[in-house]
Amino acid sequence: MEKRNLRKERIGIVTSNKMEKSIVVSEVKKMKHPLYGKFVLNTKKYVAHDEENTCNEGDTVKIMETRPMSKSKRWRLVDVIERAK
């Protein structure tokens, strides 16, 4: 049996849940500027598959890399870490 590769996982905050069975997750990283040394916020957005439509905006979630599900969806929801207040 062929061994499956490790899949990437990301933790981010849901910024949009207006689509059916889809969410937009933003991952914010603090990166040090290579020349000036100042810390800069770097935001990356992922479109993830949410089968039960359970997520709301502001939730902290864990997503995992998966097969392409549509033009932009290449991630799926693993679990909700923290609900928005």
Side-chain angles (χ1 to χ4, degrees):
M1 193 164 174
E2 197 174 320
K3 188 173 162 261
R4 210 156 73 169
N5 289 337
L6 282 174
R7 294 174 174 206
K8 294 176 189 146
E9 289 186 341
R10 300 280 184 264
I11 292 174
I13 296 169
V14 178
T15 53
S16 172
N17 66 341
K18 291 177 172 66
M19 299 170 276
E20 279 293 315
K21 297 187 177 184
S22 297
I23 54 174
V24 178
V25 179
S26 288
E27 178 194 35
V28 179
K29 287 183 189 171
K30 262 189 168 178
M31 301 195 59
K32 195 174 185 182
H33 191 281
L35 179 61
Y36 301 114
K38 183 176 178 176
F39 282 94
V40 183
L41 287 180
N42 199 346
T43 306
K44 183 108 169 78
K45 283 160 71 170
Y46 303 100
V47 180
H49 183 67
D50 178 13
E51 185 62 45
E52 282 95 43
N53 278 324
T54 54
C55 293
N56 294 312
E57 285 188 34
D59 290 353
T60 304
V61 295
K62 183 185 222 178
I63 57 175
M64 179 186 278
E65 201 175 30
T66 186
R67 66 178 174 81
M69 296 188 158
S70 72
K71 180 183 171 185
S72 56
K73 280 204 297 193
R74 271 104 177 99
W75 297 79
R76 67 179 165 85
L77 178 71
V78 177
D79 67 322
V80 180
I81 296 171
E82 189 181 353
R83 294 273 177 202
K85 283 156 179 84

